[in-house]
Amino acid sequence: METDTRTTLLDALRNDLGLTGTKKGCDHGQCGACTVLADGRRINSCLTLACMHDGEEIVTIEGLGAPGRLSALQRAFIHHDGFQCGYCTPGQICSASAMLGEIEAGWPSSVTADVAGRPDLTAQEVSERMSGNLCRCSAYPNIIEAILDVAKAKGS
Amino acid sequence: MAAHHKMDDRVGRDRLEEMAQGVIGEPLDRPEGELKVSGRATYAMDGLPAGCRHGVLVRSTVAKGRLRAFDVDSVERLPGVRAVIADDRFIKNPAQGMAGKAPAQDTREILFFGQPVALVVADTFEQARHGAQILRQEVERAEDAPVSLDDPTAQLDTPSNKQSSSGDIDAAMRASPFTIDATYTTPGHASAAMEPHASVATWEDERLTLQASYQMLRYNRAELADALGIEEDNVRLLAPYVGGGFGSKLGIAPEAVAAAIASKELGTPVGVAMTRQNEFEMVLRRSDTRQRIRLAADETGRLIGIGHDALVTNLPGEKFSEPVTQATPFLYCGDNRAIGHKIARIHRTPSGSVRAPGEAVGVTALEIAIDELAAACGIDPVELRRRNIPDQDPSKEIPFSSHMLAKALETGAARFGWSKRNASPGEVREGEWLIGLGMASAARVNMLIESKASVTLTKQGRATIETDMTDIGTGTYAILGQVAAEMLGLPVTDVETRLGDTNLPPASGSGGSFGAASNGTAVFLACEEIRQQLCTKLDCNPEDLTLKDRHAVVGNRRIPVVDILNGEDIRGEGHVEPGEAEDKVRQATYGSYFAEVAVNSVTGEVRVRRMLGVFAAGRILNAKTARSQCLGE
């Protein structure tokens, strides 16, 4: 694709490619509604220009699942009512998908007591690691339950 | 056929309880959940029409003044820019909730910093944003204008309908053994919904369609039509999904009017989304408040007097003022009462309804004062509140429709373990953390707003609900489906709910915590009408009809509903409106909050360690979405 050098990855996805599952909440990296996966890493797509991602694999919420073939996280968000208005939800789910991989890979967070050990799967760890994704409806307790459910099912 | 109900008196029976399907109140998943978690739910700016241009609002950079001119030429020369538009019909700020007419227009007169003054439209968002950022404004600045609550130059209004008193609060304060006279301040709040305001306007001849993000579509349609100077019938609003409201999307806002005008002028669809910064500058804020509270109690802690004087702020000319004292007249007893209300006129973003207008800041301050009184009297805070529950509305001297505060206090205290509280401050420590327990009463006035809905039982035996009601995250799709499924004896998957389209019957809209009761009742009535028509076909009384699992049971007959329909649809309309009940009884929701809070004695860091809310929220239509509402929103 060709796009304006000023076009953010977020606007390229939404306006040029018609992938509107990724949401614009603040457009300056504070809310996380635009979270996507770039080569597997979670990023705020509003804080980066499309032209900086030539050749990368970008996965958006549309790539994680669709009605009838939802991912485990998407199903858990529905079951635990991990959203209300739903606007932050695609970003939450993209973020959580990558976050679980980060825990699995042993990355510590600022609440990990032993940074050299394996981080525990606790509500506190999940809460800290998801703090870049705001939910104004305040579905946080349900979001954490949904994520922990999926993480524990994976681990068992 | 229509079923109409005016809420004059207690109905005295519980029809939903008489039904047999067993879905009402169940913790069912939201029917729109799959769309929301997969990014397929379409919000205002999702799915722009072909050829849609992008508009970006330009804001004022002074608090008060007059706009003389723009440097239009240098912006219109930019690649892709189609127009710089500043129209007399542009609105300064959003309409107040349920205004039904245009808010203040003429954006050349600047009354607050951040007010919209123009719209730059271009082929792409980047081009429009660049134009909006560099557009030079020639402004004649006014003399210094008051911008803060306590600015002595601000005009102070004392609206006569917002003052009330009975007995003698001053005498009560002098005569009582325990008194509190304290002043509290609260900061302003922004609604800050996750989805910024956004509107996409498309014209076909004289007919305007606006896909947008609003809470109360029937009012919004009237406000938009009035601002544009066109007939309401020529305006259609679509808002199937709304990314949060919190009051900020009650009234039509500047981006909608600007998008409509630009689209008409350019002959193409135009989409305008507010920036996050716009949300904080040109969307109605909650007023900051200063509240003086006086409490006078006898030896037993029983209140003899309550005084609540509030000072709030708003722009000159705005009718709304934060109803700070809304719950004070009925929450606690006390014969001597005084309510005062003043508005300081200042030049800041106008104030309006933000999540629980009134109680959010007013009950907070009152409850802090009650705690101070508890300390002064040496009475447990739960017990003090319990002793002061009135047996009728002490101001209007009318009965309560129901009163659940005592139960909420009692249940909350038991579940939280309140009896284990150490009442002496600073005694409970964990290392450098000081631990305290606290509680408060909750109250919120109940309202019913006129609402309509239609329900069609199709010849295939499925139901379709149609109303211009919105779901701002509150669970409208879920609960309306459950009401219809219960009433018509269907699984919820057999019910389709269509919302957010002004071509459908006009609903209450989402606001003031009245949506479920108002619009849910309209759907209920529409279903009653369908049941009546089924009874006619079956030649039976409504009391003798049971609908369950797609079948009708009458006496010893069990008949598939599709057989009764015999190839025909049945449509019912429901219409509810408020009536005399508003004046006959005091209606409110009650609850209690309990919290365990840790404060770091070195850094002052505050941590809420656990919190419990107990709410008497009336009939629960869906236990899952209702719980989510209690946790947040």
Side-chain angles (χ1 to χ4, degrees):
Chain A
M1 63 179 291
E2 268 195 28
T3 188
D4 194 316
T5 49
R6 297 169 293 186
T7 303
T8 62
L9 179 58
L10 169 62
D11 287 320
L13 290 169
R14 290 182 54 82
N15 297 337
D16 298 332
L17 299 174
L19 292 168
T20 54
T22 307
K23 303 301 179 197
K24 184 184 281 192
C26 73
D27 217 10
H28 59 287
Q30 297 194 342
C31 77
C34 67
T35 306
V36 298
L37 310 179
D39 282 344
R41 294 271 297 269
R42 51 179 173 157
I43 59 168
N44 286 327
S45 61
C46 73
L47 279 188
T48 186
L49 298 169
C51 60
M52 296 159 68
H53 295 273
D54 200 18
E56 284 179 20
E57 182 190 70
I58 307 294
V59 176
T60 67
I61 190 68
E62 289 92 343
L64 291 181
R69 48 180 181 87
L70 297 175
S71 73
L73 264 172
Q74 287 171 318
R75 288 197 304 272
F77 266 65
I78 295 175
H79 176 69
H80 288 280
D81 213 27
F83 58 91
Q84 292 193 36
C85 80
Y87 198 78
C88 72
T89 314
Q92 300 277 1
I93 291 172
C94 283
S95 187
S97 301
M99 185 273 291
L100 290 178
E102 292 161 16
I103 292 188
E104 228 172 87
W107 295 10
S109 81
S110 67
V111 299
T112 310
D114 175 12
V115 294
R118 289 202 68 76
D120 293 329
L121 254 178
T122 62
Q124 198 193 11
E125 277 284 358
V126 171
S127 176
E128 165 62 24
R129 289 164 190 264
M130 291 298 293
S131 61
N133 289 83
L134 303 184
C135 169
R136 172 65 173 92
C137 302
S138 203
Y140 299 115
N142 296 349
I143 290 171
I144 291 166
E145 275 176 33
I147 294 171
L148 282 174
D149 239 25
V150 172
K152 282 172 184 161
K154 257 187 175 176
S156 61
Chain B
M1 299 284 276
H4 172 256
H5 182 76
K6 192 155 173 279
M7 198 63 82
D8 287 330
D9 292 293
R10 180 181 293 277
V11 175
R13 67 190 283 205
D14 190 338
R15 280 291 278 159
L16 281 168
E17 277 301 312
E18 294 166 17
M19 299 295 135
Q21 189 63 27
V23 294
I24 208 74
E26 290 298 300
L28 305 182
D29 294 343
R30 293 169 195 256
E32 82 284 15
E34 289 207 331
L35 295 177
K36 283 182 173 172
V37 300
S38 65
R40 267 76 169 182
T42 49
Y43 298 84
M45 289 296 275
D46 298 344
L48 298 177
C52 186
R53 313 270 190 230
H54 293 260
V56 172
L57 290 164
V58 179
R59 74 223 245 281
S60 76
T61 51
V62 302
K64 191 168 182 236
R66 182 132 205 106
L67 195 85
R68 288 297 172 206
F70 298 107
D71 179 12
V72 171
D73 291 346
S74 57
V75 169
E76 287 191 338
R77 273 201 300 272
L78 293 171
V81 171
R82 297 284 164 169
V84 176
I85 302 173
D87 191 283
D88 290 346
R89 293 168 296 170
F90 275 16
I91 58 176
K92 284 186 175 60
N93 49 261
Q96 296 288 350
M98 302 165 87
K101 57 182 186 173
Q105 291 172 289
D106 181 13
T107 48
R108 288 177 178 272
E109 180 200 31
I110 296 166
L111 292 184
F112 61 93
F113 183 93
Q115 176 193 304
V117 290
L119 183 77
V120 176
V121 186
D123 294 344
T124 70
F125 169 66
E126 292 75 20
Q127 293 161 342
R129 180 181 58 189
H130 184 57
Q133 282 171 345
I134 67 165
L135 180 67
R136 282 198 300 273
Q137 306 170 32
E138 192 185 305
V139 179
E140 186 183 318
R141 284 177 79 124
E143 70 291 357
D144 280 351
V147 292
S148 75
L149 175 130
D150 40 20
D151 189 317
T153 68
Q155 185 193 316
L156 272 186
D157 288 354
T158 309
S160 57
N161 61 343
K162 291 188 173 170
Q163 326 295 319
S164 68
S165 68
S166 57
D168 187 340
I169 180 70
D170 296 318
M173 290 292 285
R174 284 193 299 272
S176 298
F178 301 112
T179 58
I180 297 295
D181 184 346
T183 298
Y184 307 90
T185 59
T186 60
H189 298 147
S191 292
M194 291 301 292
E195 181 197 21
H197 284 70
S199 292
V200 182
T202 309
W203 291 83
E204 277 173 57
D205 300 320
E206 297 310 307
R207 299 178 69 83
L208 167 67
T209 301
L210 196 83
Q211 54 185 76
S213 186
Y214 284 100
Q215 296 176 232
M216 311 186 86
L217 300 193
R218 76 171 149 120
Y219 297 97
N220 305 137
R221 178 164 84 147
E223 289 149 3
L224 181 57
D226 187 36
L228 298 172
I230 62 174
E231 292 297 319
E232 256 188 72
D233 290 348
N234 284 332
V235 178
R236 183 183 186 190
L237 258 66
L238 298 171
Y241 298 98
V242 179
F246 315 104
S248 68
K249 295 168 183 169
L250 293 179
I252 207 78
E255 96 293 340
V257 176
I261 290 169
S263 172
K264 185 73 178 162
E265 197 169 312
L266 295 171
T268 63
V270 172
V272 182
M274 285 197 192
T275 62
R276 181 52 58 187
Q277 291 84 347
N278 290 155
E279 288 291 321
F280 292 105
E281 290 179 344
M282 60 179 79
V283 172
L284 305 180
R285 65 188 166 91
R286 188 200 302 282
S287 173
D288 40 352
T289 75
R290 189 165 70 207
Q291 304 175 46
R292 181 189 182 199
I293 295 179
R294 284 175 291 171
L295 301 174
D298 68 15
E299 290 79 2
T300 66
R302 185 107 173 138
L303 283 163
I304 299 159
I306 299 184
H308 196 165
D309 294 282
L311 172 63
V312 301
T313 60
N314 210 343
L315 201 64
E318 284 295 316
K319 282 212 177 85
F320 178 91
S321 62
E322 181 74 20
V324 176
T325 58
Q326 193 158 253
T328 312
F330 67 88
L331 188 52
Y332 297 120
C333 60
D335 289 339
N336 303 287
R337 297 178 162 266
I339 299 282
H341 191 93
K342 284 187 172 15
I343 308 159
R345 297 297 177 182
I346 62 170
H347 287 273
R348 275 180 41 205
T349 300
S351 60
S353 293
V354 174
R355 195 72 181 117
E359 289 93 341
V361 286
V363 173
T364 302
L366 178 61
E367 287 299 292
I368 294 169
I370 293 282
D371 273 347
E372 294 187 34
L373 181 66
C377 300
I379 297 173
D380 177 84
V382 175
E383 174 58 20
L384 180 73
R385 285 169 171 86
R386 203 187 55 76
R387 282 184 198 177
N388 281 292
I389 295 174
D391 43 25
Q392 64 169 3
D393 180 321
S395 299
K396 290 189 171 174
E397 299 183 340
I398 53 173
F400 292 105
S401 61
S402 68
H403 203 295
M404 301 292 279
L405 179 55
K407 183 98 184 283
L409 291 170
E410 188 187 307
T411 307
R415 286 197 175 190
F416 190 76
W418 181 253
S419 60
K420 296 188 187 80
R421 169 179 178 255
N422 182 335
S424 309
E427 297 257 312
V428 183
R429 275 179 172 266
E430 287 178 19
E432 61 192 30
W433 293 90
L434 292 160
I435 316 293
L437 305 187
M439 56 77 56
S441 300
R444 169 69 186 168
V445 294
N446 180 55
M447 289 175 272
L448 183 77
I449 302 296
E450 183 175 12
S451 204
K452 288 182 181 173
S454 76
V455 177
T456 306
L457 187 58
T458 67
K459 51 183 173 284
Q460 294 83 10
R462 298 173 63 85
T464 305
I465 301 167
E466 293 184 310
T467 158
D468 81 353
M469 185 63 183
T470 48
D471 187 335
I472 61 171
T474 42
T476 312
Y477 282 106
I479 60 157
L480 294 187
Q482 280 170 279
V483 170
E486 188 67 51
M487 292 297 291
L488 300 176
L490 297 172
V492 285
T493 46
D494 281 7
V495 183
E496 185 196 348
T497 304
R498 294 183 190 152
L499 303 178
D501 179 350
T502 52
N503 279 359
L504 305 178
S508 57
S510 301
S513 302
F514 50 63
S518 303
N519 199 236
T521 303
V523 170
F524 163 84
L525 290 168
C527 293
E528 280 282 50
E529 172 56 28
I530 289 173
R531 291 178 64 94
Q532 183 62 52
Q533 292 182 46
L534 287 173
C535 287
T536 306
K537 286 179 188 287
L538 290 165
D539 193 22
C540 71
N541 294 319
E543 289 72 24
D544 300 330
L545 173 68
T546 301
L547 293 174
K548 188 172 187 324
D549 297 334
R550 305 176 177 133
H551 284 72
V553 180
V554 184
N556 57 4
R557 290 185 291 164
R558 185 168 185 271
I559 314 154
V561 168
V562 282
D563 290 356
I564 308 167
L565 293 165
N566 195 23
E568 278 181 27
D569 292 353
I570 298 182
R571 185 164 183 272
E573 280 184 22
H575 177 198
V576 66
E577 55 182 327
E580 293 168 15
E582 285 184 351
D583 301 317
K584 287 179 180 169
V585 286
R586 164 63 75 180
Q587 303 170 55
T589 298
Y590 296 94
S592 64
Y593 300 108
F594 290 82
E596 178 181 319
V597 177
V599 178
N600 191 291
S601 58
V602 180
T603 64
E605 181 183 347
V606 178
R607 289 271 165 183
V608 178
R609 305 219 303 192
R610 64 191 176 105
M611 184 161 171
L612 172 72
V614 175
F615 306 102
R619 172 185 284 289
I620 299 304
L621 299 168
N622 177 318
K624 188 178 287 193
T625 58
R627 179 176 179 273
S628 294
Q629 284 280 289
C630 293
L631 292 173
E633 223 274 84

